[in-house]
Amino acid sequence: MRLPPGDWWQGDAAQAVLAALDGQARFVGGAVRDALQGLPVRDVDLATPLLPETVIARAQAAGLKAIPTGIDHGTITLVSAGRPFEVTTLRRDVATDGRHATVAFTDQWHEDAARRDFTFNALYADADGQVSDPVGGLPDLAAGRLRFIGNARLRIEEDYLRLLRYFRFFARYARLPPNAALLAVLAETAPGLDRLSPERVWSELKRLLAGPTPIDSLRLMYQVGILPRLLPARPDGPAIFGELPDGADWAARLLALLPVGADLPGLATRLRWSTAELEFISVCQRIAEDNLETPYSIARRFGVDPIFCGLTVRRARGQEDREVWRGWLAAPLPPFPLGGADVQTLGVAPGPAMGRLLRAAEAWWDAGHCRANRAETLAYLKSLLPAP
């Protein structure tokens, strides 16, 4: 089999990398897999029997920039025509502990393939686009069958993140369900997720939630006991999730799985969410659960995305919208008409007092549905000042 035409591998940038490495490199993994599926190719990885220092030397001799992004594991990022290409020396695992692997470099392609996770992630393609398939990934890809390379239990115990990767890849590529034996392995190895860092767990879970069609994967995760291990998932969460429209964002999908009133700050601490992630999903939750103290300031700060998100979750739960929320979507809200200069003209110096006055005036303006004009808002601000 040969790769379909594509600039990502036939273009000057990619061919310059291959030429610099004297043809001793092959495209590998996701780029090959997605190209064969007719999907967009994003990141381009290559494998080579050349050692990292040789990759660097040859790239620099060819005028390419070489960045040792993961040199301890054999990965060098080569920049060609402004595009990055990750080049990794062929490897075999020496030892694994469920989280990290100690590797040794090799010049054997079959050893490199054997240490990868799923069969269709071990497809290689040379400079002419000819695909090699050392572990039977092509028929699995064609059938929509997600299969671990070798023994599934051993593959998972080498790196428990592969459990979550299984469900993410299942959502995107699988058309055949796992058999009973594999389901049992997934359930029995689930405790190993506790050995992973929260950041790795959340990264995989968020990517799954943001994917195109994750519902079947989430049902499987609930079935084998993995979803309740990661989230305080409600038993009917996957059913509510199924009521969401196509294209719902990750926050709506997450809220659909969680019980009403879920402790988001606690979950954020456990999964190491960013401040922005927690702020956004908290606003979505407040809209979904009709618990807004100052809705207009929220709408002006975050725009319509959390409004769509919250309303989407309400509808999936069988709840009605509030008329005021539909109004937010119909027309943009005006900006708050005052600023620090207005407070200064009233004799208040910059500092904490100014901030308190502005916040109080803005809360009053919000409570009035943002209808007060500048003069009316300024008059209210003056009323907050102590009498002379």
Side-chain angles (χ1 to χ4, degrees):
M1 180 173 287
R2 194 167 184 270
L3 290 174
D7 181 69
W8 70 269
W9 71 275
Q10 291 176 309
D12 292 342
Q15 289 297 314
V17 170
L18 293 169
L21 301 180
D22 196 24
Q24 298 187 66
R26 299 177 187 173
F27 302 104
V28 66
V32 178
R33 176 199 66 221
D34 287 348
L36 293 174
Q37 288 281 284
L39 298 172
V41 171
R42 295 179 176 86
D43 301 326
V44 180
D45 297 334
L46 297 97
T48 179
L50 301 175
L51 293 174
E53 54 268 27
T54 304
V55 171
I56 293 174
R58 292 194 179 186
Q60 291 176 340
L64 302 180
K65 184 176 182 180
I67 307 170
T69 45
I71 194 167
D72 290 344
H73 286 83
T75 300
I76 309 297
T77 299
L78 302 186
V79 182
S80 176
R83 297 173 60 179
F85 296 82
E86 282 201 353
V87 181
T88 302
T89 301
L90 300 180
R91 300 174 294 182
R92 59 181 176 86
D93 288 342
V94 175
T96 59
D97 63 5
R99 292 180 297 174
H100 309 290
T102 301
V103 300
F105 299 136
T106 179
D107 59 1
Q108 300 298 307
W109 291 92
H110 70 274
E111 288 186 321
D112 185 77
R115 70 174 299 276
R116 296 176 182 269
D117 49 11
F118 309 115
T119 57
F120 55 51
N121 285 341
L123 299 172
Y124 303 81
D126 63 20
D128 295 323
Q130 190 64 42
V131 177
S132 58
D133 178 20
V135 293
L138 285 174
D140 288 338
L141 188 65
R145 179 173 48 243
L146 181 57
R147 184 166 62 91
F148 283 98
I149 296 172
N151 184 285
R153 186 185 298 274
L154 293 179
R155 286 275 87 84
I156 292 170
E157 290 175 347
E158 289 168 351
D159 182 356
Y160 285 102
L161 191 68
R162 287 172 175 166
L163 264 176
L164 298 183
R165 284 172 59 83
Y166 177 87
F167 292 102
R168 178 163 62 84
F169 278 86
F170 184 89
R172 188 166 181 83
Y173 300 99
R175 297 189 300 277
L176 300 177
N179 58 38
L182 180 54
L183 282 175
V185 169
L186 296 174
E188 291 163 7
T189 54
L193 292 172
D194 296 341
R195 303 177 62 180
L196 299 176
S197 71
E199 291 85 355
R200 293 183 82 193
V201 171
W202 173 236
S203 175
E204 280 295 321
L205 183 57
K206 186 177 180 182
R207 290 176 73 180
L208 171 62
L209 290 170
T213 53
I215 181 61
D216 289 337
S217 269
L218 291 164
R219 289 192 177 114
L220 277 177
M221 291 175 73
Y222 202 92
Q223 178 183 342
V224 300
I226 287 178
L227 194 60
R229 181 178 288 275
L230 304 179
L231 301 171
R234 52 194 292 170
D236 62 345
I240 293 175
F241 189 105
E243 296 297 319
L244 295 173
D246 293 341
D249 66 16
W250 68 268
R253 290 170 167 177
L254 179 61
L255 281 176
L257 298 173
L258 298 176
V260 173
D263 176 17
L264 295 183
L267 192 55
T269 299
R270 183 151 64 87
L271 293 177
R272 304 288 198 274
W273 292 352
S274 69
T275 299
E277 287 171 333
L278 176 58
E279 283 187 345
F280 182 82
I281 197 168
S282 294
V283 173
C284 298
Q285 182 191 50
R286 289 162 67 186
I287 293 173
E289 298 176 7
D290 200 7
N291 182 26
L292 290 173
E293 299 86 10
T294 54
Y296 288 88
S297 61
I298 288 172
R300 287 186 294 109
R301 179 179 178 186
F302 292 97
V304 299
D305 287 347
I307 302 173
F308 276 118
C309 174
L311 294 184
T312 296
V313 174
R314 284 181 67 85
R315 292 164 186 164
R317 291 173 177 168
Q319 299 170 282
E320 294 183 357
D321 299 346
R322 285 181 56 192
E323 185 67 32
V324 65
W325 294 332
R326 287 194 291 270
W328 295 353
L329 298 176
L333 293 170
F336 180 56
L338 302 184
D342 298 299
V343 188
Q344 283 186 270
T345 60
L346 299 177
V348 180
M354 174 187 289
R356 286 193 296 270
L357 285 168
L358 277 174
R359 285 193 296 272
E362 187 170 2
W364 172 85
W365 186 72
D366 284 336
H369 296 183
C370 309
R371 294 184 181 126
N373 60 29
R374 174 178 166 77
E376 292 166 336
T377 309
L378 189 58
Y380 176 78
L381 178 64
K382 290 178 182 178
S383 75
L384 300 177
L385 298 174

